[in-house]
Amino acid sequence: MVFVLSATGNIDEPKIEKSSGNAFFDQAALRAIYQARPFPPFPQGIQEPSLKVHFSFSLTEKS
Amino acid sequence: MRWLGRLLFLALVWADVRASEGAEVFLGVTRSEVFRIPLGILYVVTPPDQAKYSSEIRTVLEGDLRRSQVFRVIHPPLVPELAGGETPSAELIKKAGRQDLQAAVWISFAQKGEELMLEGRVYDGKTGQMVMGKRYMGQAQHLRTVIHRFSDDIVFQYTGERGVAETRVVFSSSLTGSKELYLMDYDGYNVRKITGDRSLNLSPKWSPDGNWITYTSYRGGTPAIYTLDMATGRLSKTVGLPGLNISPAWSPSGGELAFASSRDGPTQIYRVDREGKALRRLTLDQSDNLSPTWSPTGAEIAFTSNRGGSPQIYMMNAAGTNVRRLTFSGDYNTSPSWSPKGVSIAYTCRVDGRLRICAISPDGATLARLTDGPGEDESPAWSPDGKHLIFSSTRLSRGDLFMMNADGTEMERLTFSGAKNNSPAWSP
């Protein structure tokens, strides 16, 4: 997923940057980002007004 | 998913962010596919003469929590210090939690006359800190409901989404000789008859607020659509066009009812408002179209049509435009049911000559057969959290309802009446 995170904790529309190949999983990842809003504001020390976040969700088999 | 917010916050604190334009961060999370939070019920405290309730409380709660797919129920050794009935200390919880228990449950129950009181607490197994504590009161005969509510509260605490243990299922049964509608708890308990039409009552569907059940009935001779007010018991006729009126489905907003009618020849899909007015025809071809199911946004409707020569699942906008075919595998695909989160459409498919439950993503890209085994399976319906499917099957009998996870695992039989039970619908 890719989205832009602002210093106030708001995000713009998250987009699928690279699909997992499984529509169910892609949707679950998008939902996770929506449900995590609002994000906390940036900690002090980060000067940028916004950050472009690439967030990857991976699923592995439990051995 | 509050942990996601915290994860990002921490990542931003630690990330080495350079002050350039278009600063970018790369983060990720890996989840083990079958991880479930290990949970154990440490103790159920009851008055000495009511010890018999302890095992029922354990059984019902463990079943609800297991079905939520969020927890893995384990049975830690009994902690003798808890027999005194006092609420556990953080030290005691940590000692009991050494079996790698992440969530520890403690319950105190008492029944006084016709009333019961249940106090439920959940502790973090590692730190011993209390995560939640609630008190429930109710009528003695509603013990199962109280436990279901506690389970749904625990699931909400851990996931931000309520569990479905308090929900119910309506279905059609031949128990009395005709086909009447019955209601039961989601786990198959408390079965009760809700219609007395002494006729054929089929394809019940819940209104989105759970206040009405709308169904097809032959009580007037030809099939018409009726609505039962669950609070008052009042029955009203909602659609009675000439010919067949079948397969009703409420829109997610509750403002519209889609259904199939043969007033113009072959069955077409129509929609009306809740008063049964503002009738609009949606399908326009010369084949049979029926079994509409709404997408959770209310923007689209999937349905069964044999316009291509065999029964297949199609999709269209809620206004009837942009009709496109969804299923291309097999010669018989019917009874679509759109999942509440929108990611999947479950339906009855015929595979190797036998009816099965299949699921397809709305873009048609991902297809899965969910059931196998003896007999035939049909009429899937989703739980309101999209985690379970209920369907009817002749795998063990003339027809009974079964529940399974959305991926087809952990199948569980729900009805045992010996009659033909089918056409289930899960309450909101």
Side-chain angles (χ1 to χ4, degrees):
Chain A
M1 301 294 145
V2 61
F3 56 95
V4 175
L5 178 63
S6 73
T8 53
N10 293 317
I11 61 170
D12 73 350
E13 200 77 16
K15 291 184 190 48
I16 300 173
E17 191 165 27
K18 182 176 170 217
S19 166
S20 65
N22 180 319
F24 297 105
F25 190 60
D26 288 347
Q27 290 300 318
L30 266 178
R31 244 192 347 266
I33 296 173
Y34 277 119
Q35 284 177 0
R37 298 177 303 176
F39 293 99
F42 287 178
Q44 289 166 341
I46 295 190
Q47 315 292 342
E48 283 73 10
S50 68
L51 284 178
K52 191 169 180 182
V53 180
H54 304 262
F55 202 99
S56 78
F57 291 81
S58 313
L59 203 60
T60 63
E61 285 290 341
K62 186 173 166 145
S63 55
Chain B
M1 285 277 175
R2 292 253 53 90
W3 56 267
L4 185 58
R6 268 181 239 125
L7 183 70
L8 263 178
F9 182 81
L10 286 169
L12 290 169
V13 168
W14 291 103
D16 180 23
V17 178
R18 300 192 201 286
S20 59
E21 77 275 22
E24 299 191 45
V25 233
F26 289 82
L27 304 166
V29 63
T30 301
R31 198 80 192 278
S32 171
E33 191 156 18
V34 293
F35 173 74
R36 293 187 185 184
I37 300 171
L39 174 149
I41 300 177
L42 287 187
Y43 212 89
V44 180
V45 177
T46 69
D49 60 330
Q50 295 179 9
K52 64 178 179 195
Y53 291 107
S54 160
S55 67
E56 180 177 4
I57 291 169
R58 275 180 185 272
T59 308
V60 176
L61 185 61
E62 286 181 358
D64 290 346
L65 292 170
R66 171 182 55 79
R67 289 190 198 98
S68 74
Q69 298 169 42
V70 174
F71 301 100
R72 178 167 59 90
V73 176
I74 65 178
H75 297 101
L78 218 53
V79 179
E81 294 92 321
L82 290 176
E86 282 154 27
T87 58
S89 64
E91 290 314 307
L92 204 58
I93 298 291
K94 282 201 283 194
K95 181 174 131 184
R98 262 190 277 140
Q99 289 82 34
D100 206 27
L101 202 59
Q102 233 178 284
V105 180
W106 177 91
I107 292 171
S108 172
F109 168 84
Q111 183 172 321
K112 287 191 174 75
E114 287 306 307
E115 301 215 326
L116 62 85
M117 205 276 294
L118 187 143
E119 183 182 344
R121 293 169 177 235
V122 184
Y123 296 85
D124 183 298
K126 300 229 163 20
T127 64
Q129 298 295 316
M130 189 166 87
V131 165
M132 66 175 272
K134 279 191 122 164
R135 223 170 251 188
Y136 304 84
M137 303 208 281
Q139 301 274 302
Q141 74 259 34
H142 294 149
L143 175 58
R144 292 185 77 92
T145 305
V146 163
I147 300 166
H148 291 325
R149 182 160 302 170
F150 181 38
S151 175
D152 286 350
D153 286 341
I154 297 174
V155 171
F156 180 76
Q157 180 71 35
Y158 278 84
T159 68
E161 204 180 346
R162 283 195 76 73
V164 298
E166 274 191 280
T167 59
R168 294 160 303 161
V169 173
V170 64
F171 62 99
S172 183
S173 176
S174 66
L175 192 61
T176 61
S178 56
K179 296 225 51 146
E180 303 281 8
L181 297 184
Y182 289 73
L183 201 61
M184 67 180 183
D185 296 350
Y186 92 113
D187 58 1
Y189 280 74
N190 292 325
V191 180
R192 49 211 183 275
K193 186 154 79 82
I194 60 173
T195 61
D197 297 324
R198 284 186 289 194
S199 179
L200 285 174
N201 292 333
L202 315 164
S203 52
K205 287 285 189 309
W206 294 84
S207 63
D209 59 10
N211 291 333
W212 310 321
I213 291 176
T214 300
Y215 61 102
T216 303
S217 179
Y218 285 73
R219 71 199 301 266
T222 54
I225 295 172
Y226 293 81
T227 297
L228 177 64
D229 184 323
M230 297 305 289
T232 65
R234 213 187 109 220
L235 188 67
S236 53
K237 186 189 265 196
T238 312
V239 182
L241 302 171
L244 309 170
N245 300 280
I246 57 175
S247 54
W250 286 100
S251 66
S253 67
E256 307 265 333
L257 184 76
F259 64 96
S261 164
S262 68
R263 73 194 293 241
D264 294 324
T267 50
Q268 303 296 335
I269 298 188
Y270 291 77
R271 55 192 276 182
V272 277
D273 63 23
R274 342 166 8 140
E275 273 84 52
K277 302 197 168 59
L279 179 69
R280 266 208 288 173
R281 179 171 157 175
L282 298 182
T283 54
L284 294 169
D285 76 336
Q286 290 311 301
S287 61
D288 283 311
N289 303 281
L290 61 154
S291 298
T293 178
W294 296 77
S295 72
T297 60
E300 302 195 275
I301 294 173
F303 60 101
T304 308
S305 177
N306 59 14
R307 62 185 65 192
S310 63
Q312 300 288 342
I313 313 291
Y314 288 73
M315 280 165 59
M316 62 182 172
N317 294 347
T321 54
N322 195 20
V323 182
R324 52 222 189 270
R325 181 168 162 174
L326 189 61
T327 56
F328 292 89
S329 240
D331 63 353
Y332 185 95
N333 296 300
T334 64
S335 300
S337 180
W338 212 310
S339 76
K341 303 225 167 108
V343 295
S344 175
I345 295 171
Y347 59 100
T348 305
C349 51
R350 184 154 62 200
V351 178
D352 297 333
R354 292 219 273 193
L355 299 182
R356 294 288 168 223
I357 308 298
C358 290
I360 190 167
S361 55
D363 64 2
T366 317
L367 170 64
R369 174 169 60 84
L370 300 178
T371 62
D372 203 346
E376 296 196 290
D377 316 310
E378 51 185 335
S379 299
W382 292 90
S383 61
D385 60 5
K387 289 188 187 173
H388 290 97
L389 283 163
I390 190 171
F391 59 97
S392 66
S393 175
T394 55
R395 56 186 51 225
L396 296 177
S397 62
R398 302 166 59 208
D400 273 305
L401 302 183
F402 289 76
M403 169 179 17
M404 64 183 177
N405 294 344
D407 62 3
T409 57
E410 294 185 69
M411 197 177 295
E412 193 178 341
R413 180 175 175 176
L414 297 178
T415 57
F416 297 85
S417 61
K420 273 201 250 194
N421 303 301
N422 53 25
S423 214
W426 207 312
S427 75

